PDB file of all heavy atoms in Angstrom:
ATOM      1  N   ASP A 196     135.268  14.838 179.482  1.00 95.00           N
ATOM      2  CA  ASP A 196     135.674  13.947 178.391  1.00 95.00           C
ATOM      3  C   ASP A 196     136.324  14.758 177.272  1.00 95.00           C
ATOM      4  O   ASP A 196     136.044  14.552 176.100  1.00 95.00           O
ATOM      5  CB  ASP A 196     134.439  13.191 177.870  1.00 95.00           C
ATOM      6  CG  ASP A 196     134.780  12.189 176.785  1.00 95.00           C
ATOM      7  OD1 ASP A 196     135.881  11.606 176.845  1.00 95.00           O
ATOM      8  OD2 ASP A 196     133.952  12.002 175.860  1.00 95.00           O
ATOM      9  N   ALA A 197     137.181  15.684 177.645  1.00 96.00           N
ATOM     10  CA  ALA A 197     137.801  16.557 176.647  1.00 96.00           C
ATOM     11  C   ALA A 197     138.714  15.766 175.719  1.00 96.00           C
ATOM     12  O   ALA A 197     139.470  14.908 176.167  1.00 96.00           O
ATOM     13  CB  ALA A 197     138.607  17.645 177.345  1.00 96.00           C
ATOM     14  N   PRO A 198     138.657  16.036 174.405  1.00 98.00           N
ATOM     15  CA  PRO A 198     139.633  15.414 173.502  1.00 98.00           C
ATOM     16  C   PRO A 198     141.032  15.918 173.841  1.00 98.00           C
ATOM     17  O   PRO A 198     141.188  17.037 174.340  1.00 98.00           O
ATOM     18  CB  PRO A 198     139.177  15.873 172.111  1.00 98.00           C
ATOM     19  CG  PRO A 198     138.313  17.058 172.343  1.00 98.00           C
ATOM     20  CD  PRO A 198     137.728  16.933 173.701  1.00 98.00           C
ATOM     21  N   ASP A 199     142.041  15.113 173.578  1.00 98.00           N
ATOM     22  CA  ASP A 199     143.418  15.533 173.871  1.00 98.00           C
ATOM     23  C   ASP A 199     143.781  16.792 173.103  1.00 98.00           C
ATOM     24  O   ASP A 199     144.423  17.706 173.633  1.00 98.00           O
ATOM     25  CB  ASP A 199     144.401  14.419 173.507  1.00 98.00           C
ATOM     26  CG  ASP A 199     144.170  13.162 174.323  1.00 98.00           C
ATOM     27  OD1 ASP A 199     144.418  13.197 175.536  1.00 98.00           O
ATOM     28  OD2 ASP A 199     143.724  12.160 173.731  1.00 98.00           O
ATOM     29  N   THR A 200     143.393  16.819 171.844  1.00 98.00           N
ATOM     30  CA  THR A 200     143.678  17.965 170.986  1.00 98.00           C
ATOM     31  C   THR A 200     142.423  18.307 170.205  1.00 98.00           C
ATOM     32  O   THR A 200     141.629  17.419 169.875  1.00 98.00           O
ATOM     33  CB  THR A 200     144.824  17.663 169.998  1.00 98.00           C
ATOM     34  OG1 THR A 200     144.448  16.530 169.179  1.00 98.00           O
ATOM     35  CG2 THR A 200     146.113  17.339 170.740  1.00 98.00           C
ATOM     36  N   PHE A 201     142.259  19.581 169.898  1.00 98.00           N
ATOM     37  CA  PHE A 201     141.059  19.976 169.150  1.00 98.00           C
ATOM     38  C   PHE A 201     141.310  21.281 168.408  1.00 98.00           C
ATOM     39  O   PHE A 201     142.225  22.039 168.724  1.00 98.00           O
ATOM     40  CB  PHE A 201     139.828  20.077 170.047  1.00 98.00           C
ATOM     41  CG  PHE A 201     140.035  20.809 171.349  1.00 98.00           C
ATOM     42  CD1 PHE A 201     139.785  22.168 171.456  1.00 98.00           C
ATOM     43  CD2 PHE A 201     140.468  20.126 172.477  1.00 98.00           C
ATOM     44  CE1 PHE A 201     139.964  22.830 172.663  1.00 98.00           C
ATOM     45  CE2 PHE A 201     140.648  20.777 173.689  1.00 98.00           C
ATOM     46  CZ  PHE A 201     140.394  22.148 173.778  1.00 98.00           C
ATOM     47  N   GLU A 202     140.468  21.501 167.425  1.00 98.00           N
ATOM     48  CA  GLU A 202     140.603  22.652 166.536  1.00 98.00           C
ATOM     49  C   GLU A 202     139.761  23.815 167.061  1.00 98.00           C
ATOM     50  O   GLU A 202     138.660  23.620 167.567  1.00 98.00           O
ATOM     51  CB  GLU A 202     140.124  22.245 165.131  1.00 98.00           C
ATOM     52  CG  GLU A 202     140.446  23.219 164.036  1.00 98.00           C
ATOM     53  CD  GLU A 202     140.054  22.664 162.675  1.00 98.00           C
ATOM     54  OE1 GLU A 202     139.109  21.863 162.582  1.00 98.00           O
ATOM     55  OE2 GLU A 202     140.710  23.049 161.693  1.00 98.00           O
ATOM     56  N   LEU A 203     140.292  25.032 166.930  1.00 97.00           N
ATOM     57  CA  LEU A 203     139.571  26.235 167.337  1.00 97.00           C
ATOM     58  C   LEU A 203     139.813  27.329 166.303  1.00 97.00           C
ATOM     59  O   LEU A 203     140.945  27.553 165.898  1.00 97.00           O
ATOM     60  CB  LEU A 203     140.064  26.732 168.697  1.00 97.00           C
ATOM     61  CG  LEU A 203     139.791  25.853 169.929  1.00 97.00           C
ATOM     62  CD1 LEU A 203     140.537  26.403 171.137  1.00 97.00           C
ATOM     63  CD2 LEU A 203     138.298  25.793 170.217  1.00 97.00           C
ATOM     64  N   ASN A 204     138.738  27.986 165.872  1.00 94.00           N
ATOM     65  CA  ASN A 204     138.967  29.197 165.108  1.00 94.00           C
ATOM     66  C   ASN A 204     139.389  30.290 166.084  1.00 94.00           C
ATOM     67  O   ASN A 204     139.235  30.158 167.295  1.00 94.00           O
ATOM     68  CB  ASN A 204     137.728  29.601 164.306  1.00 94.00           C
ATOM     69  CG  ASN A 204     136.524  29.881 165.182  1.00 94.00           C
ATOM     70  OD1 ASN A 204     136.469  29.495 166.344  1.00 94.00           O
ATOM     71  ND2 ASN A 204     135.541  30.561 164.640  1.00 94.00           N
ATOM     72  N   TYR A 205     139.947  31.373 165.560  1.00 92.00           N
ATOM     73  CA  TYR A 205     140.565  32.376 166.444  1.00 92.00           C
ATOM     74  C   TYR A 205     139.576  32.929 167.463  1.00 92.00           C
ATOM     75  O   TYR A 205     139.899  33.048 168.656  1.00 92.00           O
ATOM     76  CB  TYR A 205     141.158  33.531 165.628  1.00 92.00           C
ATOM     77  CG  TYR A 205     141.667  34.627 166.539  1.00 92.00           C
ATOM     78  CD1 TYR A 205     142.881  34.479 167.204  1.00 92.00           C
ATOM     79  CD2 TYR A 205     140.905  35.766 166.785  1.00 92.00           C
ATOM     80  CE1 TYR A 205     143.346  35.459 168.078  1.00 92.00           C
ATOM     81  CE2 TYR A 205     141.355  36.747 167.659  1.00 92.00           C
ATOM     82  CZ  TYR A 205     142.561  36.586 168.302  1.00 92.00           C
ATOM     83  OH  TYR A 205     143.001  37.543 169.175  1.00 92.00           O
ATOM     84  N   GLU A 206     138.362  33.270 167.021  1.00 89.00           N
ATOM     85  CA  GLU A 206     137.394  33.882 167.928  1.00 89.00           C
ATOM     86  C   GLU A 206     137.104  32.980 169.125  1.00 89.00           C
ATOM     87  O   GLU A 206     137.038  33.442 170.270  1.00 89.00           O
ATOM     88  CB  GLU A 206     136.093  34.195 167.170  1.00 89.00           C
ATOM     89  CG  GLU A 206     136.232  35.239 166.085  1.00 89.00           C
ATOM     90  CD  GLU A 206     136.681  34.667 164.751  1.00 89.00           C
ATOM     91  OE1 GLU A 206     137.237  33.550 164.725  1.00 89.00           O
ATOM     92  OE2 GLU A 206     136.474  35.329 163.734  1.00 89.00           O
ATOM     93  N   ASN A 207     136.947  31.701 168.882  1.00 93.00           N
ATOM     94  CA  ASN A 207     136.669  30.772 169.976  1.00 93.00           C
ATOM     95  C   ASN A 207     137.928  30.417 170.758  1.00 93.00           C
ATOM     96  O   ASN A 207     137.842  30.090 171.951  1.00 93.00           O
ATOM     97  CB  ASN A 207     135.997  29.504 169.434  1.00 93.00           C
ATOM     98  CG  ASN A 207     134.532  29.731 169.127  1.00 93.00           C
ATOM     99  OD1 ASN A 207     133.714  29.884 170.020  1.00 93.00           O
ATOM    100  ND2 ASN A 207     134.192  29.779 167.849  1.00 93.00           N
ATOM    101  N   PHE A 208     139.082  30.474 170.115  1.00 95.00           N
ATOM    102  CA  PHE A 208     140.329  30.230 170.826  1.00 95.00           C
ATOM    103  C   PHE A 208     140.473  31.167 172.022  1.00 95.00           C
ATOM    104  O   PHE A 208     140.799  30.742 173.134  1.00 95.00           O
ATOM    105  CB  PHE A 208     141.520  30.417 169.885  1.00 95.00           C
ATOM    106  CG  PHE A 208     142.820  30.648 170.615  1.00 95.00           C
ATOM    107  CD1 PHE A 208     143.472  29.596 171.245  1.00 95.00           C
ATOM    108  CD2 PHE A 208     143.368  31.923 170.704  1.00 95.00           C
ATOM    109  CE1 PHE A 208     144.652  29.808 171.949  1.00 95.00           C
ATOM    110  CE2 PHE A 208     144.548  32.137 171.399  1.00 95.00           C
ATOM    111  CZ  PHE A 208     145.193  31.084 172.029  1.00 95.00           C
ATOM    112  N   VAL A 209     140.224  32.436 171.809  1.00 90.00           N
ATOM    113  CA  VAL A 209     140.347  33.419 172.892  1.00 90.00           C
ATOM    114  C   VAL A 209     139.409  33.067 174.041  1.00 90.00           C
ATOM    115  O   VAL A 209     139.777  33.141 175.215  1.00 90.00           O
ATOM    116  CB  VAL A 209     140.059  34.839 172.367  1.00 90.00           C
ATOM    117  CG1 VAL A 209     140.022  35.844 173.513  1.00 90.00           C
ATOM    118  CG2 VAL A 209     141.121  35.247 171.353  1.00 90.00           C
ATOM    119  N   ASN A 210     138.212  32.666 173.699  1.00 90.00           N
ATOM    120  CA  ASN A 210     137.226  32.320 174.723  1.00 90.00           C
ATOM    121  C   ASN A 210     137.685  31.126 175.564  1.00 90.00           C
ATOM    122  O   ASN A 210     137.637  31.164 176.798  1.00 90.00           O
ATOM    123  CB  ASN A 210     135.886  32.015 174.045  1.00 90.00           C
ATOM    124  CG  ASN A 210     134.740  31.919 175.028  1.00 90.00           C
ATOM    125  OD1 ASN A 210     134.786  32.517 176.106  1.00 90.00           O
ATOM    126  ND2 ASN A 210     133.712  31.186 174.657  1.00 90.00           N
ATOM    127  N   TYR A 211     138.164  30.081 174.915  1.00 95.00           N
ATOM    128  CA  TYR A 211     138.593  28.877 175.640  1.00 95.00           C
ATOM    129  C   TYR A 211     139.882  29.132 176.422  1.00 95.00           C
ATOM    130  O   TYR A 211     140.046  28.615 177.531  1.00 95.00           O
ATOM    131  CB  TYR A 211     138.781  27.710 174.665  1.00 95.00           C
ATOM    132  CG  TYR A 211     137.471  27.051 174.283  1.00 95.00           C
ATOM    133  CD1 TYR A 211     136.670  27.570 173.275  1.00 95.00           C
ATOM    134  CD2 TYR A 211     137.025  25.916 174.941  1.00 95.00           C
ATOM    135  CE1 TYR A 211     135.466  26.975 172.937  1.00 95.00           C
ATOM    136  CE2 TYR A 211     135.821  25.309 174.615  1.00 95.00           C
ATOM    137  CZ  TYR A 211     135.047  25.855 173.607  1.00 95.00           C
ATOM    138  OH  TYR A 211     133.841  25.273 173.274  1.00 95.00           O
ATOM    139  N   ALA A 212     140.787  29.912 175.853  1.00 95.00           N
ATOM    140  CA  ALA A 212     142.033  30.217 176.559  1.00 95.00           C
ATOM    141  C   ALA A 212     141.747  31.032 177.819  1.00 95.00           C
ATOM    142  O   ALA A 212     142.335  30.797 178.883  1.00 95.00           O
ATOM    143  CB  ALA A 212     142.985  30.969 175.640  1.00 95.00           C
ATOM    144  N   SER A 213     140.817  31.987 177.712  1.00 91.00           N
ATOM    145  CA  SER A 213     140.518  32.853 178.855  1.00 91.00           C
ATOM    146  C   SER A 213     139.844  32.093 179.986  1.00 91.00           C
ATOM    147  O   SER A 213     139.910  32.503 181.149  1.00 91.00           O
ATOM    148  CB  SER A 213     139.621  34.017 178.419  1.00 91.00           C
ATOM    149  OG  SER A 213     138.338  33.549 178.016  1.00 91.00           O
ATOM    150  N   LYS A 214     139.221  30.968 179.669  1.00 92.00           N
ATOM    151  CA  LYS A 214     138.518  30.178 180.687  1.00 92.00           C
ATOM    152  C   LYS A 214     139.372  29.038 181.236  1.00 92.00           C
ATOM    153  O   LYS A 214     138.890  28.202 182.003  1.00 92.00           O
ATOM    154  CB  LYS A 214     137.218  29.633 180.100  1.00 92.00           C
ATOM    155  CG  LYS A 214     136.196  30.733 179.819  1.00 92.00           C
ATOM    156  CD  LYS A 214     134.908  30.178 179.238  1.00 92.00           C
ATOM    157  CE  LYS A 214     133.892  31.299 179.024  1.00 92.00           C
ATOM    158  NZ  LYS A 214     132.654  30.812 178.382  1.00 92.00           N
ATOM    159  N   GLY A 215     140.642  29.000 180.841  1.00 95.00           N
ATOM    160  CA  GLY A 215     141.556  28.019 181.409  1.00 95.00           C
ATOM    161  C   GLY A 215     141.368  26.608 180.925  1.00 95.00           C
ATOM    162  O   GLY A 215     141.744  25.655 181.615  1.00 95.00           O
ATOM    163  N   ALA A 216     140.799  26.433 179.728  1.00 97.00           N
ATOM    164  CA  ALA A 216     140.550  25.082 179.212  1.00 97.00           C
ATOM    165  C   ALA A 216     141.731  24.515 178.432  1.00 97.00           C
ATOM    166  O   ALA A 216     141.757  23.324 178.141  1.00 97.00           O
ATOM    167  CB  ALA A 216     139.316  25.095 178.311  1.00 97.00           C
ATOM    168  N   LEU A 217     142.725  25.364 178.121  1.00 98.00           N
ATOM    169  CA  LEU A 217     143.803  24.947 177.239  1.00 98.00           C
ATOM    170  C   LEU A 217     145.130  24.829 177.973  1.00 98.00           C
ATOM    171  O   LEU A 217     145.381  25.522 178.958  1.00 98.00           O
ATOM    172  CB  LEU A 217     143.955  25.951 176.088  1.00 98.00           C
ATOM    173  CG  LEU A 217     142.676  26.345 175.345  1.00 98.00           C
ATOM    174  CD1 LEU A 217     143.002  27.303 174.223  1.00 98.00           C
ATOM    175  CD2 LEU A 217     141.946  25.118 174.815  1.00 98.00           C
ATOM    176  N   MET A 218     145.980  23.962 177.458  1.00 98.00           N
ATOM    177  CA  MET A 218     147.304  23.769 178.053  1.00 98.00           C
ATOM    178  C   MET A 218     148.266  24.850 177.576  1.00 98.00           C
ATOM    179  O   MET A 218     148.311  25.177 176.390  1.00 98.00           O
ATOM    180  CB  MET A 218     147.844  22.385 177.689  1.00 98.00           C
ATOM    181  CG  MET A 218     149.259  22.128 178.203  1.00 98.00           C
ATOM    182  SD  MET A 218     149.789  20.420 177.926  1.00 98.00           S
ATOM    183  CE  MET A 218     148.818  19.558 179.188  1.00 98.00           C
ATOM    184  N   ASP A 219     149.041  25.390 178.499  1.00 98.00           N
ATOM    185  CA  ASP A 219     150.122  26.310 178.170  1.00 98.00           C
ATOM    186  C   ASP A 219     151.239  25.505 177.493  1.00 98.00           C
ATOM    187  O   ASP A 219     151.779  24.570 178.078  1.00 98.00           O
ATOM    188  CB  ASP A 219     150.615  26.972 179.454  1.00 98.00           C
ATOM    189  CG  ASP A 219     151.798  27.906 179.226  1.00 98.00           C
ATOM    190  OD1 ASP A 219     152.241  28.032 178.074  1.00 98.00           O
ATOM    191  OD2 ASP A 219     152.276  28.483 180.213  1.00 98.00           O
ATOM    192  N   LEU A 220     151.564  25.877 176.257  1.00 98.00           N
ATOM    193  CA  LEU A 220     152.534  25.113 175.469  1.00 98.00           C
ATOM    194  C   LEU A 220     153.965  25.618 175.600  1.00 98.00           C
ATOM    195  O   LEU A 220     154.879  25.036 175.013  1.00 98.00           O
ATOM    196  CB  LEU A 220     152.125  25.137 173.988  1.00 98.00           C
ATOM    197  CG  LEU A 220     150.730  24.593 173.648  1.00 98.00           C
ATOM    198  CD1 LEU A 220     150.444  24.788 172.166  1.00 98.00           C
ATOM    199  CD2 LEU A 220     150.610  23.134 174.032  1.00 98.00           C
ATOM    200  N   ASP A 221     154.180  26.680 176.336  1.00 98.00           N
ATOM    201  CA  ASP A 221     155.498  27.322 176.364  1.00 98.00           C
ATOM    202  C   ASP A 221     156.618  26.366 176.768  1.00 98.00           C
ATOM    203  O   ASP A 221     157.678  26.341 176.133  1.00 98.00           O
ATOM    204  CB  ASP A 221     155.479  28.529 177.305  1.00 98.00           C
ATOM    205  CG  ASP A 221     154.804  29.729 176.672  1.00 98.00           C
ATOM    206  OD1 ASP A 221     154.689  29.749 175.432  1.00 98.00           O
ATOM    207  OD2 ASP A 221     154.378  30.643 177.402  1.00 98.00           O
ATOM    208  N   LYS A 222     156.418  25.595 177.813  1.00 97.00           N
ATOM    209  CA  LYS A 222     157.476  24.698 178.289  1.00 97.00           C
ATOM    210  C   LYS A 222     157.791  23.639 177.241  1.00 97.00           C
ATOM    211  O   LYS A 222     158.972  23.330 176.982  1.00 97.00           O
ATOM    212  CB  LYS A 222     157.062  24.034 179.596  1.00 97.00           C
ATOM    213  CG  LYS A 222     158.162  23.156 180.190  1.00 97.00           C
ATOM    214  CD  LYS A 222     157.726  22.518 181.503  1.00 97.00           C
ATOM    215  CE  LYS A 222     158.833  21.617 182.063  1.00 97.00           C
ATOM    216  NZ  LYS A 222     158.409  20.922 183.298  1.00 97.00           N
ATOM    217  N   LEU A 223     156.766  23.082 176.619  1.00 98.00           N
ATOM    218  CA  LEU A 223     156.967  22.069 175.588  1.00 98.00           C
ATOM    219  C   LEU A 223     157.714  22.648 174.394  1.00 98.00           C
ATOM    220  O   LEU A 223     158.577  21.994 173.800  1.00 98.00           O
ATOM    221  CB  LEU A 223     155.613  21.505 175.144  1.00 98.00           C
ATOM    222  CG  LEU A 223     154.891  20.654 176.190  1.00 98.00           C
ATOM    223  CD1 LEU A 223     153.414  20.517 175.843  1.00 98.00           C
ATOM    224  CD2 LEU A 223     155.537  19.278 176.290  1.00 98.00           C
ATOM    225  N   ILE A 224     157.399  23.887 174.046  1.00 98.00           N
ATOM    226  CA  ILE A 224     158.075  24.560 172.938  1.00 98.00           C
ATOM    227  C   ILE A 224     159.546  24.783 173.275  1.00 98.00           C
ATOM    228  O   ILE A 224     160.445  24.526 172.457  1.00 98.00           O
ATOM    229  CB  ILE A 224     157.377  25.896 172.613  1.00 98.00           C
ATOM    230  CG1 ILE A 224     155.990  25.633 171.992  1.00 98.00           C
ATOM    231  CG2 ILE A 224     158.225  26.751 171.682  1.00 98.00           C
ATOM    232  CD1 ILE A 224     155.149  26.869 171.789  1.00 98.00           C
ATOM    233  N   GLN A 225     159.807  25.251 174.487  1.00 97.00           N
ATOM    234  CA  GLN A 225     161.178  25.549 174.900  1.00 97.00           C
ATOM    235  C   GLN A 225     162.045  24.289 174.946  1.00 97.00           C
ATOM    236  O   GLN A 225     163.245  24.337 174.658  1.00 97.00           O
ATOM    237  CB  GLN A 225     161.173  26.223 176.270  1.00 97.00           C
ATOM    238  CG  GLN A 225     160.577  27.624 176.252  1.00 97.00           C
ATOM    239  CD  GLN A 225     160.221  28.129 177.636  1.00 97.00           C
ATOM    240  OE1 GLN A 225     160.544  27.498 178.641  1.00 97.00           O
ATOM    241  NE2 GLN A 225     159.550  29.268 177.691  1.00 97.00           N
ATOM    242  N   GLU A 226     161.439  23.165 175.288  1.00 97.00           N
ATOM    243  CA  GLU A 226     162.190  21.923 175.427  1.00 97.00           C
ATOM    244  C   GLU A 226     162.347  21.168 174.111  1.00 97.00           C
ATOM    245  O   GLU A 226     163.044  20.156 174.053  1.00 97.00           O
ATOM    246  CB  GLU A 226     161.502  21.016 176.459  1.00 97.00           C
ATOM    247  CG  GLU A 226     161.543  21.567 177.882  1.00 97.00           C
ATOM    248  CD  GLU A 226     160.770  20.712 178.858  1.00 97.00           C
ATOM    249  OE1 GLU A 226     160.016  19.809 178.391  1.00 97.00           O
ATOM    250  OE2 GLU A 226     160.889  20.931 180.075  1.00 97.00           O
ATOM    251  N   ASP A 227     161.701  21.658 173.052  1.00 97.00           N
ATOM    252  CA  ASP A 227     161.726  20.966 171.766  1.00 97.00           C
ATOM    253  C   ASP A 227     162.807  21.579 170.871  1.00 97.00           C
ATOM    254  O   ASP A 227     162.623  22.642 170.273  1.00 97.00           O
ATOM    255  CB  ASP A 227     160.356  21.083 171.089  1.00 97.00           C
ATOM    256  CG  ASP A 227     160.251  20.208 169.857  1.00 97.00           C
ATOM    257  OD1 ASP A 227     161.293  19.769 169.338  1.00 97.00           O
ATOM    258  OD2 ASP A 227     159.115  19.963 169.401  1.00 97.00           O
ATOM    259  N   SER A 228     163.918  20.894 170.758  1.00 97.00           N
ATOM    260  CA  SER A 228     165.028  21.402 169.957  1.00 97.00           C
ATOM    261  C   SER A 228     164.759  21.316 168.461  1.00 97.00           C
ATOM    262  O   SER A 228     165.480  21.917 167.654  1.00 97.00           O
ATOM    263  CB  SER A 228     166.313  20.631 170.286  1.00 97.00           C
ATOM    264  OG  SER A 228     166.136  19.240 170.024  1.00 97.00           O
ATOM    265  N   ASP A 229     163.706  20.574 168.080  1.00 96.00           N
ATOM    266  CA  ASP A 229     163.378  20.425 166.664  1.00 96.00           C
ATOM    267  C   ASP A 229     162.407  21.485 166.165  1.00 96.00           C
ATOM    268  O   ASP A 229     162.048  21.494 164.983  1.00 96.00           O
ATOM    269  CB  ASP A 229     162.764  19.042 166.407  1.00 96.00           C
ATOM    270  CG  ASP A 229     163.760  17.925 166.632  1.00 96.00           C
ATOM    271  OD1 ASP A 229     164.960  18.162 166.385  1.00 96.00           O
ATOM    272  OD2 ASP A 229     163.342  16.836 167.076  1.00 96.00           O
ATOM    273  N   PHE A 230     161.966  22.355 167.077  1.00 97.00           N
ATOM    274  CA  PHE A 230     160.994  23.371 166.665  1.00 97.00           C
ATOM    275  C   PHE A 230     161.501  24.770 166.959  1.00 97.00           C
ATOM    276  O   PHE A 230     162.088  25.032 167.996  1.00 97.00           O
ATOM    277  CB  PHE A 230     159.654  23.179 167.392  1.00 97.00           C
ATOM    278  CG  PHE A 230     158.670  24.294 167.113  1.00 97.00           C
ATOM    279  CD1 PHE A 230     158.005  24.348 165.898  1.00 97.00           C
ATOM    280  CD2 PHE A 230     158.442  25.299 168.047  1.00 97.00           C
ATOM    281  CE1 PHE A 230     157.112  25.385 165.622  1.00 97.00           C
ATOM    282  CE2 PHE A 230     157.551  26.324 167.786  1.00 97.00           C
ATOM    283  CZ  PHE A 230     156.888  26.368 166.566  1.00 97.00           C
ATOM    284  N   SER A 231     161.256  25.659 166.003  1.00 96.00           N
ATOM    285  CA  SER A 231     161.508  27.080 166.196  1.00 96.00           C
ATOM    286  C   SER A 231     160.296  27.841 165.668  1.00 96.00           C
ATOM    287  O   SER A 231     159.751  27.495 164.605  1.00 96.00           O
ATOM    288  CB  SER A 231     162.759  27.531 165.441  1.00 96.00           C
ATOM    289  OG  SER A 231     162.835  28.943 165.412  1.00 96.00           O
ATOM    290  N   SER A 232     159.876  28.855 166.386  1.00 96.00           N
ATOM    291  CA  SER A 232     158.728  29.640 165.925  1.00 96.00           C
ATOM    292  C   SER A 232     159.021  30.327 164.597  1.00 96.00           C
ATOM    293  O   SER A 232     158.101  30.763 163.898  1.00 96.00           O
ATOM    294  CB  SER A 232     158.339  30.680 166.972  1.00 96.00           C
ATOM    295  OG  SER A 232     159.371  31.626 167.160  1.00 96.00           O
ATOM    296  N   ASP A 233     160.302  30.407 164.222  1.00 95.00           N
ATOM    297  CA  ASP A 233     160.673  30.985 162.932  1.00 95.00           C
ATOM    298  C   ASP A 233     160.139  30.162 161.763  1.00 95.00           C
ATOM    299  O   ASP A 233     160.116  30.645 160.624  1.00 95.00           O
ATOM    300  CB  ASP A 233     162.197  31.096 162.796  1.00 95.00           C
ATOM    301  CG  ASP A 233     162.784  32.125 163.744  1.00 95.00           C
ATOM    302  OD1 ASP A 233     162.016  32.982 164.235  1.00 95.00           O
ATOM    303  OD2 ASP A 233     163.998  32.065 164.016  1.00 95.00           O
ATOM    304  N   GLN A 234     159.721  28.931 162.041  1.00 96.00           N
ATOM    305  CA  GLN A 234     159.145  28.102 160.989  1.00 96.00           C
ATOM    306  C   GLN A 234     157.776  28.629 160.558  1.00 96.00           C
ATOM    307  O   GLN A 234     157.255  28.219 159.527  1.00 96.00           O
ATOM    308  CB  GLN A 234     158.995  26.653 161.485  1.00 96.00           C
ATOM    309  CG  GLN A 234     160.324  25.964 161.756  1.00 96.00           C
ATOM    310  CD  GLN A 234     160.142  24.643 162.485  1.00 96.00           C
ATOM    311  OE1 GLN A 234     160.585  24.478 163.609  1.00 96.00           O
ATOM    312  NE2 GLN A 234     159.477  23.691 161.845  1.00 96.00           N
ATOM    313  N   LEU A 235     157.205  29.528 161.359  1.00 95.00           N
ATOM    314  CA  LEU A 235     155.881  30.078 161.084  1.00 95.00           C
ATOM    315  C   LEU A 235     155.962  31.589 160.933  1.00 95.00           C
ATOM    316  O   LEU A 235     156.874  32.233 161.464  1.00 95.00           O
ATOM    317  CB  LEU A 235     154.918  29.730 162.221  1.00 95.00           C
ATOM    318  CG  LEU A 235     154.659  28.248 162.436  1.00 95.00           C
ATOM    319  CD1 LEU A 235     154.034  28.004 163.807  1.00 95.00           C
ATOM    320  CD2 LEU A 235     153.740  27.705 161.340  1.00 95.00           C
TER     321      LEU A 235
END
């Protein structure tokens, strides 16, 4: 029953990412012409 989106502090982010619980955002980022990582 995972929420679609959720907040993670950095320490826990690494843990969840390493266990495969998170979606890889690269494709969505590449296909989004309205977003550039330069905004951050």
Side-chain angles (χ1 to χ4, degrees):
D196 183 33
D199 298 292
T200 59
F201 46 93
E202 192 174 29
L203 293 171
N204 61 343
Y205 174 77
E206 295 86 340
N207 283 289
F208 160 75
V209 173
N210 192 26
Y211 280 83
S213 66
K214 292 180 178 177
L217 311 182
M218 177 173 286
D219 177 359
L220 302 176
D221 283 341
K222 184 179 179 183
L223 291 162
I224 291 173
Q225 292 164 8
E226 293 176 348
D227 189 343
S228 59
D229 293 328
F230 174 76
S231 168
S232 64
D233 292 341
Q234 294 169 244
L235 297 164

